[in-house]
Amino acid sequence: MEQKQQSLPAQKNIALVAHDGKKAALKQWCEKHKTILSQHTLYGTGTTGHLIEKTTGLNVVQLLSGPMGGDQQLGAKIAEHEVHMLIFFWDPLASQPHDPDVKALLRLAAVWNIPVACNEVSADMLLSSPLMDVELDRTLPDYEKYLATRQVDL
């Protein structure tokens, strides 16, 4: 598939996700970075979004719980270019019943070339980057061109 350039805006839409064993760590991380995060739009899967909003006072667009479809909702928002960054504190030592959804979410983040952090240190690096608050070009699949040029057999 051909590629195209598209910008990520200076004000990002950031998805916040955490497995149960990492929710407290994400909550603390959000509290630590509250000033920066408040300058962006935040999305969260059910329990995580509620916890962050309740404990930090940050506004979070709350989707369904991950196992109930929230991971897939975020994946759709990534594919539709509505989410520009994924902060996903996942627990690599615990088995997850919705593991295929988690893998699909990470796959979509890679396909659509958005920044992803899967732990506190990588999330710190993303937020402290000089690119965090500027418009940033990225390369992504030119799906519209693909649709326009494909032939349909009838």
Side-chain angles (χ1 to χ4, degrees):
M1 184 175 297
E2 292 189 41
Q3 302 288 300
K4 68 177 182 178
Q5 292 293 117
Q6 186 180 76
S7 295
L8 291 175
Q11 183 179 4
K12 312 279 188 290
N13 293 341
I14 303 171
L16 302 169
V17 184
H19 285 146
D20 288 345
K22 298 291 183 174
K23 287 190 190 323
L26 182 58
K27 178 189 76 149
Q28 291 172 348
W29 182 84
C30 288
E31 188 65 47
K32 177 180 166 184
H33 296 288
K34 190 174 172 177
T35 303
I36 296 169
L37 292 172
S38 68
Q39 299 169 22
H40 302 277
T41 302
L42 306 177
Y43 289 83
T45 51
T47 309
T48 303
H50 177 73
L51 176 69
I52 291 168
E53 187 169 86
K54 180 180 171 188
T55 59
T56 67
L58 291 165
N59 292 322
V60 180
V61 177
Q62 296 174 35
L63 306 174
L64 294 173
S65 172
M68 300 303 293
D71 296 328
Q72 292 182 356
Q73 285 179 301
L74 282 177
K77 290 189 177 302
I78 291 169
E80 294 168 352
H81 313 293
E82 292 178 34
V83 166
H84 311 120
M85 179 184 296
L86 174 62
I87 307 294
F88 189 170
F89 282 23
W90 64 283
D91 189 347
L93 301 178
S95 101
Q96 305 297 328
H98 63 295
D99 194 49
D101 299 333
V102 170
K103 287 181 179 164
L105 178 61
L106 293 170
R107 181 185 159 284
L108 286 168
V111 166
W112 296 107
N113 201 14
I114 66 167
V116 177
C118 291
N119 57 46
E120 186 175 347
V121 173
S122 58
D124 285 345
M125 291 181 77
L126 283 180
L127 281 197
S128 65
S129 168
L131 302 174
M132 182 62 198
D133 295 322
V134 298
E135 192 171 295
L136 177 65
D137 285 338
R138 64 180 168 151
T139 302
L140 61 153
D142 191 343
Y143 190 67
E144 291 80 15
K145 188 170 187 177
Y146 165 76
L147 288 177
T149 60
R150 72 178 180 180
Q151 293 184 359
V152 179
D153 293 326
L154 298 177

